[in-house]
Amino acid sequence: MSSADVFPPPPEVSAAAHVPSFQKYQEMYERSVREPSEFWGEIAEDFYWRVAPAQPLLKYNFDVTKGKIYIEWMKGAVTNICYNVLDRNVQEKKLGDKVAFYWEGNEPEESTSITYVELLKKVCQFANVLRDQGVKKGDCVSIYMPMVIELVVAMLACARIGAIHSIVFAGFSAESLCERILDSHCCLLITADGFFRGDKLINLKQIADEALKKCAEKNYSLRKCIVLKHLGRDDVICDGTSKCSPPCKRLCQNVQGNKQDRAKRAAPQTTWNPSVDLWWHELVKNAGTECEPEWCDAEDELFILYTSGSTGKPKGVVHSVGGYMIFTATTFKYVFDYHHDDIYWCTADIGWITGHSYLVYGPLANGATSVLFEGLPIYPDISRMWQIIDKYSVTKFYTAPTAIRLLMKFGEEPVKRYSRKSLKILGTVGEPINPEAWLWYYNVVGEKRCPIVDTFWQTETGGHVLTPLPGATATKPGSATFPFFGVVPAILNESGEELEGETEGYLVFKQPWPALMRNVYRNHERFETTYFKKFPGYYVTGDGCRRDKDGYYWITGRIDDMLNVSGHLLSTAEVESALVEHSSVAEAAAVSHPHPVKGECLYCFVTLRDGQEFTSSLTDQLKKLVREKIGPIATPDYIQNAPGLPKTRSGKIMRRVLRKIARNDRELGDTSTLADTTVIHQLFENRCKTIH
């Protein structure tokens, strides 16, 4: 089969209650584009508003030549997103006893669940704790935690009191955490003692302490740091009425040896600064279980989420309360064809936008039951994902192409050990999926009976913008298919002209949908420059795109100096900046290289200072430096000695040529602008031996 093959929706899904027929979908889509205020106004009626939205719901300007860029949906309407996703489910929809999350720990024997009423109680308690610590509406709180229920509690508690949460992925380094704390001007940090990723112990508190030390060195000190006892839950007494959530973890410092030996070892000593650090369990012990929500304008800031920027400095993407709420709820309902008895599992970490939108806010807004997974796809064995699907009877499964390619390596047998008969819909997210992985997912995991929703969106878009709808849309392996309600894509050439029919160019959008980002935190100029300046009148995604003769969209990758490693967007400038901090390195350039599992990996060229020698030891030092500065996800797979780099006469590095060299592709195209063509031969001679 080729990527041109069309897969019609399996017939048993086409009668789904939420998903319209393709003809009906087209009618709804056309109305959403023609009358966006009316379309989304009707959807907004399904939510609670202290002050209802008034027409027109939408006001915006996408054209920098006509004034300041702004996007406003339902401005003046008043609501609270935490109230909508918890209180209403408990009080109005009578879902209090329904499980909100099944928590599955790193080890298969570690699991628990929490109902909507229990989650509401814990969120109110922690919201009261935050208020007691002086956190007010509009304050920013940084959250650096593993995938535990308390992470959900912390973010919803912030939303309840009108504070802005800034969640930092627990795989990031102390330097990255420090940078995000400084940029967001956060007033308080929430973290945990540590957690396990497979057999590896991550001492999260130690990393957080290093970050706070770096902040202090830059004259910025946080008032308080609240610490969850996750590794040491045996020391915490549960309140007799509800389960520990999640249960006590095995205490372990040295992870060598067999499982039984590891279980007997002591937990790492948690470093403690009594003037700053506070234990989570001690704070919530006497906190009240009722907390009046802070009523917010629909355009108030809900959260900041940092994404890599082409300048090397991460951008604080800002999302607002009202538009984000209705869009994530609606995309979740339609794209996953949500029904009240579904068990939904999104494998994304909450530290990324997928976890925000489709593990927390979108599912909870629909009263869904979700699986929250702390572990790794192949730990403790290669069938872990399929074992979890059978354990909880998962019906809707949403994961990344990276995970699919990883699991493909082990063949069909580990999948077929488990029935997966509960599965109805499969989803992919984070990066374009190659047709081979799509077909394996469809044929082996879904047994040709589950439609695949291959979703394209970004941190900035807040939710799905190009996606099939199960049971309505025929799919092509690897295609992002069609736009969601209210989303109007276009493909432009370098001159900013819209291209019609079968074509390829820059992917842009012509008008806003409710969840589109509102700003770059405290940097509106960067917001305008990054997303609107290149093509006035359009939101610029930074991605290339091809539209085929049938109108299907195919994402071709980043156009700027960004790359997508295992679904994580990385800035080449950020990696290069880390490499040149080494005293031996004079200059560095990073490009993408194909990888059979990650999709893309980092291939780096380094030019050494005079007198320095390129050795395997230096390579190890450079990889370690990048890990420390950015995090393990940014570790280069290849580092090549480059006595010189291909540059234009104006001094600009030609990364296009470097990408060709990294792939051993000698068809370099036009090199007439190179200042010195002799470096090309030497770079090919020094190439690293690559696996793909």
Side-chain angles (χ1 to χ4, degrees):
M1 293 182 180
S2 73
S3 61
D5 290 319
V6 177
F7 286 72
E12 65 270 22
V13 184
S14 58
H18 297 315
V19 177
S21 67
F22 186 62
Q23 182 179 353
K24 179 64 175 174
Y25 161 71
Q26 286 181 309
E27 292 172 2
M28 293 174 68
Y29 172 75
E30 288 168 6
R31 180 170 178 251
S32 73
V33 171
R34 187 176 64 250
E35 303 169 350
S37 287
E38 291 76 9
F39 180 88
W40 290 106
E42 290 172 11
I43 289 174
E45 290 174 4
D46 290 337
F47 297 84
Y48 175 79
W49 303 89
R50 181 58 68 97
V51 176
Q55 294 290 355
L57 264 60
L58 171 62
K59 295 179 181 178
Y60 75 101
N61 173 41
F62 269 14
D63 192 338
V64 290
T65 67
K66 295 180 179 178
K68 182 179 179 181
I69 298 295
Y70 71 96
I71 303 152
E72 294 175 351
W73 279 93
M74 302 171 291
K75 188 172 177 64
V78 176
T79 191
N80 181 281
I81 193 169
C82 179
Y83 183 89
N84 273 281
V85 305
L86 290 183
D87 301 63
R88 289 191 74 210
N89 282 325
V90 172
Q91 295 161 14
E92 294 178 31
K93 301 178 184 177
K94 308 302 179 187
L95 299 177
D97 293 333
K98 184 177 183 179
V99 172
F101 291 101
Y102 289 110
W103 180 81
E104 178 78 8
N106 185 60
E107 301 290 339
E109 62 268 24
E110 298 169 348
S111 61
T112 190
S113 63
I114 188 167
T115 64
Y116 273 89
V117 72
E118 290 170 337
L119 184 58
L120 175 59
K121 172 185 170 183
K122 289 180 179 292
V123 167
C124 285
Q125 282 182 307
F126 199 67
N128 286 325
V129 165
L130 292 177
R131 278 180 170 159
D132 288 344
Q133 293 301 317
V135 180
K136 307 181 299 299
K137 180 181 178 181
D139 287 347
C140 183
V141 174
S142 288
I143 304 174
Y144 185 59
M145 296 179 76
M147 286 283 283
V148 289
I149 288 171
E150 285 88 350
L151 171 51
V152 178
V153 170
M155 64 194 294
L156 291 178
C158 290
R160 192 169 191 86
I161 64 172
I164 304 164
H165 59 73
S166 170
I167 299 178
V168 181
F169 172 55
F172 276 138
S173 66
E175 182 80 24
S176 293
L177 175 59
C178 166
E179 188 173 36
R180 287 154 175 78
I181 289 171
L182 292 173
D183 189 80
S184 65
H185 295 255
C186 88
C187 64
L188 182 142
L189 174 65
I190 306 169
T191 190
D193 51 359
F195 67 103
F196 283 94
R197 291 280 286 171
D199 260 348
K200 185 179 181 183
L201 172 63
I202 311 295
N203 194 328
L204 212 58
K205 176 63 163 60
Q206 186 178 67
I207 300 169
D209 286 345
E210 291 174 20
L212 295 185
K213 182 181 177 184
K214 290 176 183 291
C215 289
E217 289 169 356
K218 296 177 181 179
N219 299 314
Y220 191 88
S221 298
L222 265 69
R223 297 197 301 265
K224 296 294 177 183
C225 176
I226 298 176
V227 185
L228 174 73
K229 215 168 208 183
H230 181 46
L231 290 174
R233 288 177 186 267
D234 279 328
D235 299 336
V236 181
I237 299 172
C238 299
D239 62 31
T241 59
S242 74
K243 307 176 283 293
C244 281
S245 175
C248 303
K249 296 189 68 66
R250 222 173 33 255
L251 305 183
C252 160
Q253 184 167 16
N254 183 346
V255 295
Q256 302 300 316
N258 64 37
K259 194 172 180 179
Q260 289 75 25
D261 290 341
R262 295 201 310 268
K264 298 174 185 176
R265 302 186 193 277
Q269 183 66 41
T270 302
T271 54
W272 203 253
N273 179 352
S275 65
V276 174
D277 297 332
L278 300 163
W279 282 118
W280 176 300
H281 60 276
E282 291 180 354
L283 293 172
V284 300
K285 194 184 303 179
N286 299 314
T289 57
E290 293 184 3
C291 176
E292 176 67 17
E294 185 74 35
W295 299 103
C296 303
D297 189 279
E299 279 301 317
D300 282 346
E301 295 165 334
L302 172 62
F303 66 85
I304 308 165
L305 190 55
Y306 284 87
T307 185
S308 292
S310 57
T311 64
K313 180 178 171 58
K315 304 183 294 286
V317 171
V318 175
H319 284 289
S320 60
V321 174
Y324 177 83
M325 176 176 72
I326 67 172
F327 193 78
T328 53
T330 305
T331 45
F332 178 80
K333 175 181 175 180
Y334 282 99
V335 175
F336 298 108
D337 183 35
Y338 171 70
H339 293 262
H340 69 91
D341 56 350
D342 277 329
I343 306 296
Y344 166 81
W345 182 17
C346 170
T347 66
D349 193 287
I350 294 175
W352 306 109
I353 187 63
T354 304
H356 281 56
S357 298
Y358 298 115
L359 186 48
V360 181
Y361 288 113
L364 290 178
N366 283 276
T369 296
S370 299
V371 175
L372 179 65
F373 180 44
E374 183 189 31
L376 295 171
I378 57 173
Y379 178 85
D381 67 66
I382 54 179
S383 290
R384 183 71 187 280
M385 304 283 264
W386 324 122
Q387 178 260 330
I388 293 171
I389 285 172
D390 278 8
K391 177 178 179 179
Y392 296 107
S393 296
V394 171
T395 56
K396 312 293 169 68
F397 180 58
Y398 194 36
T399 194
T402 302
I404 297 165
R405 288 191 293 265
L406 172 65
L407 295 163
M408 275 178 67
K409 291 199 313 180
F410 302 105
E412 298 181 14
E413 190 276 330
V415 184
K416 293 182 176 178
R417 287 179 205 166
Y418 295 89
S419 77
R420 296 153 286 112
K421 64 183 180 182
S422 59
L423 286 174
K424 295 178 181 177
I425 291 173
L426 303 173
T428 71
V429 61
E431 58 188 303
I433 186 170
N434 55 303
E436 182 187 11
W438 192 102
L439 290 166
W440 186 85
Y441 198 32
Y442 181 80
N443 293 327
V444 178
V445 178
E447 298 176 321
K448 300 183 180 180
R449 59 182 175 78
C450 300
I452 293 179
V453 287
D454 181 8
T455 59
F456 169 76
W457 56 300
Q458 304 172 309
T459 303
E460 293 90 340
T461 71
H464 305 142
V465 287
L466 298 176
T467 177
L469 293 187
T473 316
T475 51
K476 297 184 183 184
S479 163
T481 317
F482 301 120
F484 193 74
F485 300 135
V487 176
V488 188
I491 296 178
L492 307 184
N493 62 17
E494 188 67 47
S495 301
E497 298 166 330
E498 285 193 33
L499 304 174
E500 300 298 329
E502 188 175 359
T503 190
E504 185 170 345
Y506 292 87
L507 176 64
V508 299
F509 293 107
K510 298 170 73 169
Q511 66 185 47
W513 52 93
L516 182 61
M517 70 181 292
R518 298 302 195 258
N519 211 343
V520 170
Y521 194 63
R522 296 176 182 259
N523 196 338
H524 190 77
E525 182 182 355
R526 190 177 185 190
F527 175 57
E528 294 188 340
T529 300
T530 304
Y531 301 105
F532 298 95
K533 196 170 183 181
K534 185 176 180 67
F535 299 121
Y538 301 92
Y539 164 79
V540 181
T541 65
D543 280 298
C545 183
R546 175 172 63 86
R547 185 171 52 227
D548 69 18
K549 60 183 176 58
D550 300 316
Y552 286 64
Y553 290 87
W554 303 76
I555 306 303
T556 57
R558 300 299 296 181
I559 289 175
D560 55 15
D561 294 328
M562 306 289 292
L563 43 83
N564 195 322
V565 177
S566 297
H568 307 314
L569 201 60
L570 297 175
S571 159
T572 56
E574 197 173 4
V575 174
E576 291 161 4
S577 177
L579 289 169
V580 298
E581 286 194 24
H582 194 285
S583 58
S584 297
V585 177
E587 195 170 26
V591 298
S592 68
H593 186 276
H595 190 280
V597 174
K598 301 176 186 177
E600 289 183 301
C601 66
L602 277 159
Y603 190 113
C604 300
F605 299 82
V606 294
T607 302
L608 303 184
R609 297 181 185 277
D610 289 345
Q612 300 299 315
E613 186 181 355
F614 190 84
T615 63
S616 59
S617 173
L618 175 61
T619 298
D620 292 340
Q621 291 172 35
L622 292 173
K623 289 182 178 181
K624 183 172 182 284
L625 185 60
V626 174
R627 278 197 300 272
E628 290 173 351
K629 289 290 178 183
I630 305 172
I633 56 170
T635 306
D637 280 53
Y638 308 105
I639 299 180
Q640 174 181 334
N641 183 20
L645 293 173
K647 296 180 181 179
T648 63
R649 292 174 182 83
S650 62
K652 184 178 180 181
I653 296 171
M654 294 184 70
R655 286 182 177 78
R656 172 182 63 80
V657 172
L658 290 177
R659 279 192 287 271
K660 294 274 191 178
I661 293 167
R663 291 162 170 77
N664 202 22
D665 179 357
R666 294 179 184 267
E667 297 294 326
L668 300 181
D670 181 16
T671 56
S672 60
T673 58
L674 275 176
D676 179 9
T677 57
T678 61
V679 300
I680 300 295
H681 175 74
Q682 201 164 19
L683 289 170
F684 272 113
E685 286 291 309
N686 289 357
R687 265 194 82 252
C688 298
K689 186 176 180 181
T690 58
I691 60 173
H692 191 70

